[in-house]
Amino acid sequence: MSSSEENLRSVHLRWTREGRVFAGGSDRGPRVTLDGDGVAGPSSTEFVLLGLAGCMGIDVLVILEKSRVPVKDLEVGVVGERAESAPRRFKSVRLTFRVTGPAPEDQAKLERAVQLSRDTYCSVLHTLRPDLDLDIRIERV
Amino acid sequence: MSSSEENLRSVHLRWTREGRVFAGGSDRGPRVTLDGDGVAGPSSTEFVLLGLAGCMGIDVLVILEKSRVPVKDLEVGVVGERAESAPRRFKSVRLTFRVTGPAPEDQAKLERAVQLSRDTYCSVLHTLRPDLDLDIRIERV
């Protein structure tokens, strides 16, 4: 792996010796807890959905800011459906963006921001399988 | 999306209105912080790498336990390399498993556990693009 430093992302996780609980994080930032049983922290599959929500959420914030569309609040909900048999990968994912701030006349810009993230910018989405069934909803609230 | 409850994973993230910082989690568990700038918490791409580390780490723990191979400590390091241009997806990922506990004669079982996770069990890995360049190293320490 030869690459300039800025293209690399480095993380580590260490088993806490309790159940399926791991602690770790990026090599530069604060620690997080991951729990395979979803009690002490999100599970590993939930971490991926959170990464997807964050990636598209940030894209949408940045694009709307450039478009001068005001955003007061943004919540991203993600529901993923896993296959029934191993490896139990995600087959489909539904994302719901709930945005406060944009006016009714900003609806087209809001939809365009989500579309740009989906098609062009979101690093996490494009790291996932291309055959993932993706359903995106946008709600101005 | 019609599915039995057990196949669904549900998370949410809400913008904190500060920079690129979001807070959220699974609908049943404690909150985590995601920060696009990697300061207040891991970034969205780092969340995906952490999910991958946790998923394979848990698989390896479970498989070694079934094989009666003792594990005292397990650390998983992940370095991902992103594409230089948008959507800047991960092109390659290197995972390093550092395991304390298994004896030299357990080496084959240790390698087999990692292989089973990679080929058969890891939900997160199989949710990622099949063309991801994956390099896995195992160190008994």
Side-chain angles (χ1 to χ4, degrees):
Chain A
M1 192 182 292
S2 67
S3 172
S4 69
E5 198 71 13
E6 68 194 63
N7 294 328
L8 299 182
R9 291 295 176 276
S10 183
V11 304
H12 58 276
L13 270 188
R14 187 170 182 178
W15 183 38
T16 63
R17 302 191 188 180
E18 290 179 19
R20 300 180 179 190
V21 182
F22 286 70
S26 74
D27 291 353
R28 54 188 173 149
R31 285 159 60 97
V32 290
T33 300
L34 179 152
D35 181 358
D37 295 320
V39 178
S43 70
S44 44
T45 52
E46 288 165 349
F47 260 71
V48 175
L49 298 185
L50 288 163
L52 178 60
C55 185
M56 294 196 72
I58 291 164
D59 282 351
V60 168
L61 280 181
V62 170
I63 295 166
L64 289 180
E65 190 177 23
K66 285 182 184 165
S67 311
R68 294 178 189 176
V69 173
V71 177
K72 290 180 182 168
D73 205 355
L74 171 63
E75 192 175 349
V76 187
V78 189
V79 180
E81 184 188 355
R82 299 171 69 186
E84 297 209 1
S85 54
R88 303 206 61 211
R89 68 177 182 84
F90 282 114
K91 296 187 302 178
S92 64
V93 171
R94 177 194 295 168
L95 282 137
T96 305
F97 291 83
R98 287 183 199 88
V99 197
T100 307
E105 58 265 31
D106 296 323
Q107 180 69 23
K109 286 183 178 175
L110 179 55
E111 288 174 12
R112 175 82 179 137
V114 172
Q115 198 64 37
L116 274 171
S117 174
R118 176 181 186 154
D119 294 345
T120 308
Y121 291 111
C122 182
S123 315
V124 170
L125 178 59
H126 287 265
T127 297
L128 305 184
R129 300 174 62 101
D131 62 356
L132 192 72
D133 181 10
L134 191 68
D135 175 36
I136 301 183
R137 297 169 188 210
I138 303 170
E139 299 174 4
R140 276 186 305 103
V141 289
Chain B
M1 192 182 294
S2 66
S3 172
S4 68
E5 198 70 14
E6 68 195 62
N7 293 329
L8 300 181
R9 291 294 175 275
S10 183
V11 304
H12 57 274
L13 270 187
R14 187 170 182 177
W15 183 38
T16 63
R17 303 190 188 181
E18 290 180 16
R20 300 179 179 190
V21 182
F22 285 71
S26 74
D27 291 352
R28 53 186 174 152
R31 285 160 60 98
V32 290
T33 300
L34 180 152
D35 181 359
D37 295 320
V39 177
S43 70
S44 44
T45 53
E46 288 165 348
F47 259 71
V48 174
L49 298 185
L50 287 163
L52 178 60
C55 185
M56 294 195 72
I58 291 166
D59 282 351
V60 167
L61 280 181
V62 169
I63 295 166
L64 289 180
E65 190 178 23
K66 285 183 184 165
S67 311
R68 295 178 188 175
V69 174
V71 177
K72 289 179 182 168
D73 205 356
L74 171 62
E75 193 175 347
V76 187
V78 190
V79 181
E81 183 188 355
R82 298 171 69 186
E84 298 208 1
S85 54
R88 303 204 63 211
R89 67 176 183 86
F90 282 115
K91 295 188 302 179
S92 63
V93 171
R94 178 194 293 167
L95 281 137
T96 305
F97 291 83
R98 289 183 199 86
V99 196
T100 307
E105 58 265 31
D106 295 323
Q107 180 68 25
K109 286 182 177 174
L110 179 55
E111 289 174 11
R112 175 80 180 139
V114 172
Q115 199 63 37
L116 274 172
S117 174
R118 176 181 186 153
D119 294 345
T120 309
Y121 291 112
C122 182
S123 315
V124 170
L125 178 59
H126 288 264
T127 297
L128 304 185
R129 299 174 64 100
D131 61 357
L132 192 71
D133 180 10
L134 191 69
D135 176 35
I136 301 182
R137 296 168 189 210
I138 304 171
E139 299 174 3
R140 275 186 305 102
V141 289

